[in-house]
């Protein structure tokens, strides 16, 4: 391996990091593993990203840039509710393109001001609909948090279905719960995953925001 990061740029580091994430997951994403993939020594990467957190910030920024680019090509919907639902669906779709996609976003800081400024028209739409600025900001943060949490759980379950099929076995869970938990057991058997669950729970979040607006 070369000791000098010739030809290595922040952009190619982030692209390689996303590839590594997709192949092996968040826990395998280390500076050493990334350096090996790029055929350089780990210190060479620190010229471009100071630590793993900064790397995650850059990866999250790339993901969010794709989200804002996609949203920029979608005309405003008939109502603020439709607009926010579209945002939630696009965000989820982008996260699902990457293994542990939602996990890399949690706790990160966007490093591109243009991506942050893309929030401006969304705040404008929500305040025009009657939300205060604080309520509009809360609404976007709440929907984002819902999507992040939903996808983290969704991706963990999907991965477990491959690596440990018994992890979420309802029969084993019922036996483990024993008696006096009939509603808990029944609720477990009612659970659905994927789009139906996402849309239903998103509606609950949007209903809450609509009730806040009418208050």
């Amino acid at each position: 391996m070369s000791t000098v990061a010739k030809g290595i740029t922040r952009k190619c580091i982030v692209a390689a990091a996303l590839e590594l994430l997709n192949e092996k997951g968040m826990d395998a994403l280390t500076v050493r593993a990334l350096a090996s993939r790029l055929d350089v020594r780990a210190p060479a990467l620190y010229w471009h990203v100071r630590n793993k957190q900064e790397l995650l910030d850059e990866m999250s920024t790339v993901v969010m840039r794709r989200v804002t680019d996609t949203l920029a090509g979608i005309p405003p919907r008939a109502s603020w509710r439709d607009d926010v639902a579209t945002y939630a669906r696009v965000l989820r779709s982008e996260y699902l393109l990457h293994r542990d996609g939602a996990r890399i976003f949690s706790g990160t800081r966007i490093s591109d001001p243009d991506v942050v400024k893309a929030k401006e028209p969304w705040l404008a739409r929500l305040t025009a609909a009657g939300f205060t600025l604080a309520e509009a900001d809360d609404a976007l943060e709440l929907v984002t948090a819902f999507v992040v949490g939903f996808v983290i759980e969704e991706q963990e379950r999907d991965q477990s279905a491959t690596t440990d099929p018994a992890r979420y076995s309802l029969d084993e869970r019922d036996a483990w719960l024993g008696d006096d938990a009939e509603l808990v057991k029944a609720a477990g058997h009612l659970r659905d995953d994927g789009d139906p669950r996402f849309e239903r729970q998103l509606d609950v979040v949007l209903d809450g925001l609509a009730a806040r607006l009418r208050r």
Side-chain angles (χ1 to χ4, degrees), residues 31-44:
V31 173
R32 178 173 293 183
L34 183 56
S36 177
R37 174 172 289 260
L38 291 167
D39 196 31
V40 298
R41 297 189 183 279

Side-chain angles (χ1 to χ4, degrees), residues 20-193:
L20 183 60
L21 176 75
N22 291 339
E23 291 175 12
K24 299 187 177 180
M26 180 77 159
D27 295 336
L29 181 61
T30 65
V31 173
R32 178 173 293 183
L34 183 56
S36 177
R37 174 172 289 260
L38 291 167
D39 196 31
V40 298
R41 297 189 183 279
L45 299 185
Y46 293 123
W47 287 99
H48 303 279
V49 288
R50 291 174 295 179
N51 49 47
K52 184 174 179 178
Q53 184 58 61
E54 187 169 298
L55 174 62
L56 293 176
D57 289 345
E58 292 299 321
M59 294 168 68
S60 178
T61 298
V62 168
V63 170
M64 286 306 297
R65 186 180 296 117
R66 292 172 182 165
V67 170
T68 57
D69 287 349
T70 298
L71 289 170
I74 300 175
R77 303 300 187 180
S79 69
W80 68 266
R81 183 174 180 131
D82 292 338
D83 283 335
V84 174
T86 297
Y87 164 69
R89 292 173 189 132
V90 170
L91 186 61
R92 174 176 173 246
S93 295
E94 183 61 39
Y95 285 160
L96 288 174
L97 292 177
H98 309 283
R99 181 174 174 179
D100 295 330
R103 286 181 64 192
I104 69 164
F105 181 82
S106 183
T108 56
R109 181 179 67 86
I110 301 300
S111 62
D112 182 351
D114 286 338
V115 175
V116 178
K117 287 191 286 188
K119 190 177 181 180
E120 183 79 10
W122 290 89
L123 292 173
R125 289 181 208 177
L126 289 171
T127 53
F131 290 96
T132 67
L133 180 57
E135 288 171 341
D137 194 46
D138 283 346
L140 293 176
E141 286 193 1
L142 180 62
V143 171
T144 301
F146 161 69
V147 176
V148 170
F150 187 95
V151 177
I152 287 175
E153 176 75 9
E154 183 176 25
Q155 291 186 315
E156 197 282 329
R157 282 180 170 270
D158 286 346
Q159 291 166 25
S160 291
T162 300
T163 60
D164 184 9
R167 179 173 173 81
Y168 293 107
S169 167
L170 289 174
D171 290 339
E172 291 188 14
R173 180 175 182 264
D174 288 349
W176 173 72
L177 285 170
D179 299 329
D180 302 323
E182 297 311 309
L183 292 177
V184 175
K185 293 178 185 178
H189 286 272
L190 289 173
R191 181 187 175 101
D192 53 2
D193 290 309

